[in-house]
Amino acid sequence: MEDYKKVAGLIKERGYAVAFTGAGISVDSGIPAFRGGQGLWEKYDPMEYAHIGAFHSNPGKVWIMLRDMSRVIFESKPSPAHKALSDLESMGYLKAIITQNVDGLHQIAGNSNIIEYHGNHWQLVCLNCATRVALAPEVVSAMPYPMCDRCMLPLKPDVVFFGEGIPMKAMIRANEEANNCKVLIIIGTSGVVYPAAEIPYMAKSNGAVIVEINMDPSPFTSSITDHFFKGSASDVLPEIMGYF
Ligand code: OAD
C-alpha cells in the first residue's frame, strides 16, 4: 500500500512519465501474451508464422495465424490498466506510451501520444503498391488471404515481422521519450525482444526512475528496476491511480 502511494507521489513530483508496454497489459483484454503457457508462440512457431521470409514464401500459412490473431483482437476491449494510463495522460503526468503491442487498445482507451514500436494490426498494407486497407472481419475472412485489389498480391498487417526493421519514425520518437522521461513505467513485457528492450536501459541511463509491473520478474527487475509491483497491471495501475 505504501508503495502505491510512494510511486504515485513520485510520478506527480517528477511530472514526466512515459509508459513502456507489452503484451501483458492486454491479457485482461482477452489477448493472450506471446510467451508462456497460453502464448501465441506456443501455438505457432514464430519463425514459421511471423518471419517476413515465411510471409513471402507461404502467405496462406501465415494468414492462418493472422486470422486467428485478428479474431482475438476484434473481440478485445481496453482493460482497467489501459484505462488507468488514459487517466494518467488526461491528468498531464503521462506524456507518451511506447508500446510493443499492435492491438490498438491504447488508442481505444483514449491515449493520444502513442508510439507503436512494432506497428499496428488494424491496417493492412500491400508490399508492392503501399495501398492500405482497414482490418475488418469481411477482409480477414478472404481465402486463402486478403489481397490487394490492384496488384492481386497478399496484404500484410502493418506490423513488424521478425526479420524486418523498426519503423524509423517510431524508433526516433521512442528514443527521444526514453531520454526525456523522468519516470518510466514498464508494464507487462518479458523484455527479451530487441531493440525494443533497449528503451528502459536508455531511460535509466538518462536518470529516469524505473517502475515495473509484471506477474513475474523480467531481465529489467534485478538490473534497473527501482520499484517492482508483482501482479496484474489491471490490479496494480488502478491502485496507484487511487493516490492521485
Ligand atoms: P511476452 O509474451 O514476451 O511477455 C508478456 C509479459 O507480460 C510477461 O513478462 C508476463 O509475465 C507479463 N504478464 C502477463 N500477464 C500480465 C498481466 N495481467 N499484468 C502484467 N503483466 C503480465 O510479450 P512482449 O514482451 O510484449 O514482437 O513481447 C515482445 C514482442 O515479442 C512482441 O511485441 C512481439 C513478440 O514476438 C513482434 O511480433 C515483433
Side-chain angles (χ1 to χ4, degrees):
M1 167 126 50
E2 202 45 46
D3 270 356
Y4 297 132
K5 192 175 172 186
K6 194 193 277 177
V7 163
L10 198 72
I11 292 170
K12 280 194 258 189
E13 202 180 285
R14 298 209 128 209
Y16 197 123
V18 167
F20 176 60
T21 65
I25 196 169
S26 296
V27 166
D28 285 337
S29 298
I31 306 176
F34 294 96
R35 297 172 180 81
Q38 307 290 310
L40 193 71
W41 298 156
E42 288 295 313
K43 192 166 167 192
Y44 299 105
D45 177 345
M47 289 307 119
E48 279 180 49
Y49 287 91
H51 194 283
I52 190 64
F55 184 82
H56 288 306
S57 60
N58 197 346
K61 179 174 174 180
V62 170
W63 261 102
I64 294 172
M65 182 271 290
L66 292 174
R67 205 169 282 118
D68 197 3
M69 192 170 167
S70 303
R71 287 191 185 120
V72 172
I73 289 180
F74 288 142
E75 285 169 14
S76 67
K77 48 182 193 314
S79 68
H82 291 102
K83 175 73 175 60
L85 291 185
S86 159
D87 293 344
L88 203 56
E89 181 188 294
S90 304
M91 290 172 167
Y93 297 114
L94 186 73
K95 304 298 185 189
I97 296 176
I98 305 166
T99 188
Q100 298 164 86
N101 299 345
V102 298
D103 53 34
L105 289 173
H106 288 304
Q107 286 88 332
I108 296 171
N111 283 93
S112 56
N113 193 16
I114 302 158
I115 302 165
E116 293 182 303
Y117 207 80
H118 288 160
N120 187 303
H121 194 85
W122 287 92
Q123 285 286 313
L124 304 181
V125 64
C126 172
L127 298 180
N128 190 48
C129 72
T131 290
R132 283 170 179 273
V133 175
L135 185 84
E138 62 278 14
V139 175
V140 164
S141 59
M143 288 295 175
Y145 40 72
M147 264 193 274
C148 171
D149 286 345
R150 267 204 279 181
C151 308
M152 301 313 282
L153 289 169
L155 292 167
K156 174 186 165 290
D158 196 12
V159 303
V160 177
F161 274 45
F162 288 101
E164 290 190 297
I166 304 302
M168 190 53 79
K169 206 171 148 198
M171 193 179 235
I172 292 169
R173 285 177 65 208
N175 291 352
E176 275 171 11
E177 293 298 348
N179 289 333
N180 291 341
C181 69
K182 303 277 184 265
V183 177
L184 185 78
I185 314 170
I186 306 172
I187 307 163
T189 177
S190 57
V192 296
V193 174
Y194 281 79
E198 281 168 8
I199 291 163
Y201 297 104
M202 245 184 258
K204 179 77 174 182
S205 66
N206 284 299
V209 173
I210 309 294
V211 175
E212 183 180 11
I213 304 166
N214 200 313
M215 302 295 282
D216 296 303
S218 76
F220 306 124
T221 317
S222 57
S223 56
I224 55 167
T225 297
D226 298 296
H227 300 274
F228 181 66
F229 294 94
K230 183 175 167 61
S232 170
S234 296
D235 296 330
V236 175
L237 275 168
E239 289 279 4
I240 294 173
M241 292 308 292
Y243 289 93
F244 275 83

